Amino acid sequence: MSGTMTSNCSFDEVDKLMASLQLVIYIPVFVVGLVLNIVALLVFCFLLRKWTESTIYMTNLAIMDLLLLSLLPFKMHATNHLWEAHHHILCSILETLYFVGMYGSIYTIACIAADRWVAICHPFRAKQLRSPRVALGTCIMIWLVVIGATSPVYGFHEQGKTTFRCFHTFSDKGWSPALISCLLSFGFLGPLMVLVMCSAQSIWALRQSRKDSPKSTTCVKIIYSSLFAFLVPFTPSHLGILLQFLVRRGMIEDCEAKRGISLFVQLTMSLANITCCLDALCYYFITREVRSSRDNLSFRLSRSMSQRRATSTSES
């Protein structure tokens, strides 16, 4: 998303600084995120052994995060090395997968909020609207939508150059008003509105009910952790995309401002990958919720069996 020279405005210092900063950001995110998401998948698939709506969404989120993390080594290499022209197809595939992972995470977090909203605010309709099958179908739909929406990435780089920088220096086609409008509207603002509205109504309903049960407390924590995992990484990065779009359209011409925006957009796009670590908060609270509900079920069953035994003993 940067260039070494644009209209006699050099970005060499920005690129050199980001070459170091990206390594400082990517290496810890890659290591920590890989461990957390692999552990989450093992817990959801083998330890909980109960496929609820929440665990299905969280499994999908962990897979999206692992996809994002698997591409960080390529991003680190592209930061410090120019790629040969015959690697255009490989670069386009990697960029497409990267955006699939990023926007797949965004849509999954929004769907988690919507699922919570239905369960809390519409409990009588929840049995009709919520089920593991519906959650699985929604996750499949997310994959289809983000793969289809990110397919234009194949035409983002200028052809004919002997070398290019993958994940950077998109052509003017990649910064067209229609494309950026769709990206910001459907890739960020739409899911953001769903997340904020569903979260606010869910928290309000829980507070109105005046229930301080452990389940309600855990549910509130899940909602707040989803908000945190969405707003912290994705809000600054999409603001950076908007500012860089204004630069590419010639609306911002001051050289220092352009340098500052170039640094801001590269830094925020790098920091957006911390979502792979922040999602672990959601994993933790979901795991507690599922285990708590399972323990409560076991307790009720054991109490019911004890009552039956007591009744049969008294009758005899």
Side-chain angles (χ1 to χ4, degrees), residues 34-51:
L34 201 63
V35 172
L36 292 176
N37 284 278
I38 290 176
V39 170
L41 280 180
L42 292 175
V43 169
F44 292 143
C45 296
F46 298 105
L47 294 182
L48 295 182
R49 297 180 181 178
K50 183 182 180 182
W51 288 106

Side-chain angles (χ1 to χ4, degrees), residues 237-272:
S237 60
H238 285 84
L239 175 60
I241 291 173
L242 175 61
L243 292 174
Q244 186 68 6
F245 168 73
L246 297 178
V247 171
R248 296 296 292 256
R249 300 300 296 179
M251 297 179 184
I252 298 177
E253 298 181 348
D254 180 72
C255 184
E256 288 301 319
K258 289 162 72 173
R259 286 199 191 104
I261 291 172
S262 178
L263 177 61
F264 179 76
V265 68
Q266 292 186 71
L267 184 60
T268 54
M269 289 297 291
S270 300
L271 290 173

Side-chain angles (χ1 to χ4, degrees), residues 217-252:
T217 303
T218 302
C219 194
V220 171
K221 290 179 178 179
I222 292 171
I223 294 170
Y224 278 124
S225 62
S226 296
L227 278 168
F228 187 71
F230 187 102
L231 295 175
V232 171
F234 298 126
T235 303
S237 60
H238 285 84
L239 175 60
I241 291 173
L242 175 61
L243 292 174
Q244 186 68 6
F245 168 73
L246 297 178
V247 171
R248 296 296 292 256
R249 300 300 296 179
M251 297 179 184
I252 298 177

